Amino acid sequence: MQFRALLVTVAICLARVLGAVIVPGATWTDTSGNVIQAHGGGFLKVGSTYYWFGEDKSHNSGLFKAVSCYSSSDLVSWTRQRDALTPISGTSISTSNIVERPKVVFNKSTNQYVMWFHSDSSNYGAAQVGVAIASSPCGPYTYRTSFKPLGADSRDMGLYQDDDCKDLFLSIGKGSTQLDACAAAQTVYLLYASDNNQNFKISRLDSSYLNVASQVSVLSGSTLESPGIVKRNGVYYLFASHTTGWDPNPNKFFSASSLSGPWSSQADIAPAATRTYFSQNTFDMLLGSNFAIYMGDRWRPSLLGSSRYIWYPMTWDTGKPQIIAADVWSVNPSAGTFSAAAGTTYEAESGSLSGAAQMLSDGSFSGGRAVGWLGNGGSLTINNVQGAGRDQWVALYYANGDSAWRNTTVSVNGGSPTVVDQPNTGGGHAILSVPVKLNLRSGANSITFSANQNSYAADLDKIIVYTAT
C-alpha cells in the first residue's frame, strides 16, 4: 500500500511537471485524471494558491448539480477539492433550479468567503442572484438567500473586488464611516445583465458583501452578459459578450477611469469573424503589467459536460486588450509572464487527396488554399510530418460553415483513428483551430484525415505540430 501511494504521488508530480502547458479547447483533466467540471468559472487567489469555482455539468444538464472547487499553485495542474455548494431541496438552489457563474471574494473585515451566483428557475424566469458564505475557500458554503438586486433582474453576473475607494470618496466625501469600511474591506461590485438582458449594471455591495448597497453605473441597451473586469494602470476594462444564447459572438471590451463611467464605446478583443474563437468570457485575470488571461467557455449545449475551456493570453501590446490566439502556451503566475509555443506548419494543400476531396481557394485560408469535401469518401494524407517520438499536440485549422458541429477522423501512420470535434465557424470561411494529441514517431510520419467516415468533415486549412508538452 505504501508503494502504491508512492506511485500515485510520483504520478501527480510528473503530471505537474509534464502538463506545464495550456491547450485551449482540449479536454482538461485534474490531478486524478478526471475531466475538470468548472464551467462559467470564477477564480480566487489565497496566498500562493489559486481556487477555481465552477458549474459541474457532468450530468449534461443546465440544472444544478454542484459548484465545484479546484486548487492549483500554477494555474495549470488542478486538484479537485470538496464541492463548494450543493443542492438544498425546497430552496432556490434545489436540483430543479439553476445555479450558474459562481464568483467568490474574501471579506477581510468579517473573515468570510462570500460566493455570489446567478440563481434562477429552470425557465430562467426568476432572474436572481444567490449568496452563500464559508470560513474556508472551498467551504462547504452555507446558502443564505436569493433575490433581485435593487429589485431588478439579474442573470449572467460577475464580481469585481476593487482596492480603490475613490468612487465612494467622490460620492460621500472624506471621513465617512462608509469610506473607512470600504478601505478596510475593499469594495466589491456586482456586474450583471438586467432588465431582461437589455441593460448592463454595476452595483456596489455593502461592507458585509452580502447585500447590494447602490447602483454605480448602467450601460443602457447594451445587451451584455458574462462579464469580467480588470484594472490596469488606473483604467478599468470591462469584458463581456452579447446575448446570443449558447451560440458565441464577438466578445467586447469597454474602458473607463471610474466604475461609474463614462464607459468607452465597445471594441473587439479578437477578430470578429472568429466569434472570440468560439468562446464566451467567464473571467479575466490580470497577472502582469501587460498580461491577463482571458478565461472563456466553449459551450456545447447538447453535451454541456463536454464544453471546453478556452484560455488565451491577452496583452495591451497594441494599446488595447487583444487576445493572443496561442494553440499551446505556458504561464508563470509569479513572474506575470507567458510564453506561446512554437510549432511547425504543414499546409493541407501540400498533402495527397483521395476520393471526393477537392482543393479549395479562398483568401481566408493560409496560402489562399485548403482541402474540402472531406469525409463521405474524401480524405487527405499529409506526409513527412516530423515527430519527436512521443505524444505531441497538433492543432487542426479548419472552416465549418454549417450551423452544426462536424468532426474528422485523424490517423497516424495507418493506426487507429481519433475523432476530433469541429465546432461551426460561422459564415464564410472563418478559421478556427482545435487540438488533438497524437503519438508521432521520431522522424517522418503520415497523418490521414477523414478516411472511412460517413459524415462530412470540415474544410482543412493547415495543421501545426508542437513539441511542447
Side-chain angles (χ1 to χ4, degrees):
M1 293 297 292
Q2 289 180 336
F3 180 67
R4 181 178 298 175
L6 177 62
L7 286 178
V8 171
T9 301
V10 170
I12 291 174
C13 290
L14 284 174
R16 289 173 176 166
V17 172
L18 297 177
V21 294
I22 296 172
V23 184
T27 301
W28 294 5
T29 56
D30 60 24
T31 53
S32 296
N34 299 313
V35 175
I36 292 177
Q37 290 290 334
H39 310 283
F43 295 80
L44 179 69
K45 187 181 182 184
V46 181
S48 60
T49 301
Y50 294 90
Y51 292 91
W52 182 0
F53 306 89
E55 307 161 27
D56 187 331
K57 299 295 190 188
S58 56
H59 57 322
N60 289 317
S61 169
L63 298 178
F64 183 38
K65 180 178 181 180
V67 171
S68 57
C69 182
Y70 293 82
S71 64
S72 174
S73 61
D74 60 8
L75 292 173
V76 179
S77 298
W78 293 93
T79 299
R80 186 156 186 172
Q81 308 295 339
R82 67 172 66 182
D83 286 338
L85 187 69
T86 52
I88 303 175
S89 179
T91 73
S92 295
I93 63 166
S94 74
T95 55
S96 299
N97 292 99
I98 300 289
V99 170
E100 295 177 336
R101 300 190 178 276
K103 305 292 186 284
V104 175
V105 290
F106 179 65
N107 191 319
K108 293 180 180 178
S109 296
T110 63
N111 203 36
Q112 285 183 330
Y113 294 89
V114 184
M115 177 187 294
W116 285 64
F117 52 89
H118 173 200
S119 178
D120 222 322
S121 52
S122 60
N123 66 354
Y124 287 96
Q128 298 179 320
V129 289
V131 182
I133 58 173
S135 58
S136 60
C138 290
Y141 283 73
T142 300
Y143 171 64
R144 289 180 59 93
T145 187
S146 296
F147 63 97
K148 288 180 179 285
L150 302 176
D153 288 351
S154 177
R155 291 192 171 89
D156 272 15
M157 48 70 63
L159 290 182
Y160 173 66
Q161 188 168 23
D162 200 358
D163 58 359
D164 187 344
C165 297
K166 69 177 181 181
D167 290 338
L168 190 57
F169 173 85
L170 292 173
S171 64
I172 65 179
K174 186 176 180 180
S176 165
T177 55
Q178 282 183 278
L179 183 60
D180 293 339
C182 166
Q186 297 183 324
T187 316
V188 174
Y189 297 87
L190 176 67
L191 325 170
Y192 55 111
S194 191
D195 306 327
N196 199 28
N197 289 347
Q198 295 306 298
N199 302 317
F200 182 81
K201 298 178 180 179
I202 301 174
S203 293
R204 181 175 58 84
L205 304 189
D206 67 9
S207 60
S208 72
Y209 298 175
L210 302 179
N211 300 289
V212 177
S214 62
Q215 190 167 286
V216 171
S217 184
V218 180
L219 281 74
S220 299
S222 55
T223 63
L224 298 175
E225 63 180 9
S226 63
I229 284 181
V230 301
K231 182 168 65 174
R232 175 181 176 271
N233 295 339
V235 177
Y236 296 91
Y237 293 89
L238 166 65
F239 302 95
S241 77
H242 283 292
T243 50
T244 52
W246 296 106
D247 293 328
N249 58 66
N251 287 204
K252 307 294 183 179
F253 81 88
F254 305 77
S255 61
S257 59
S258 167
L259 288 173
S260 59
W263 290 92
S264 69
S265 58
Q266 67 180 18
D268 290 311
I269 59 174
T274 69
R275 297 174 299 165
T276 329
Y277 303 103
F278 201 111
S279 71
Q280 183 184 39
N281 185 70
T282 185
F283 197 87
D284 307 279
M285 182 184 295
L286 188 68
L287 287 178
S289 60
N290 194 46
F291 161 51
I293 302 180
Y294 164 85
M295 296 164 162
D297 291 288
R298 177 171 287 173
W299 295 111
R300 189 169 190 178
S302 61
L303 290 169
L304 279 173
S306 296
S307 299
R308 302 297 182 223
Y309 310 107
I310 305 297
W311 293 10
Y312 283 127
M314 184 164 57
T315 74
W316 279 255
D317 287 345
T318 63
K320 59 183 181 179
Q322 294 291 290
I323 285 174
I324 307 298
D327 295 317
V328 179
W329 63 284
S330 58
V331 59
N332 185 331
S334 59
T337 58
F338 76 94
S339 178
T344 302
T345 299
Y346 299 86
E347 296 287 348
E349 63 268 23
S350 67
S352 300
L353 282 63
S354 296
Q358 296 180 22
M359 201 74 71
L360 304 176
S361 297
D362 190 282
S364 300
F365 296 128
S366 172
R369 294 191 296 172
V371 175
W373 298 96
L374 294 170
N376 269 347
S379 65
L380 168 72
T381 299
I382 301 178
N383 296 303
N384 201 32
V385 176
Q386 296 300 303
R390 54 179 168 78
D391 287 346
Q392 295 177 241
W393 286 109
V394 178
L396 313 186
Y397 281 73
Y398 71 95
N400 170 17
D402 284 357
S403 59
W405 291 37
R406 290 187 178 186
N407 61 59
T408 184
T409 59
V410 183
S411 176
V412 178
N413 301 321
S416 299
T418 298
V419 178
V420 181
D421 289 325
Q422 298 170 311
N424 60 300
T425 57
H429 277 147
I431 307 298
L432 288 180
S433 69
V434 288
V436 59
K437 183 172 277 189
L438 302 175
N439 188 273
L440 301 181
R441 66 192 179 200
S442 182
N445 295 262
S446 295
I447 304 180
T448 299
F449 302 89
S450 309
N452 302 315
Q453 75 175 78
N454 296 323
S455 59
Y456 280 114
D459 303 332
L460 189 64
D461 183 10
K462 65 182 179 182
I463 67 172
I464 301 180
V465 180
Y466 294 92
T467 56
T469 59

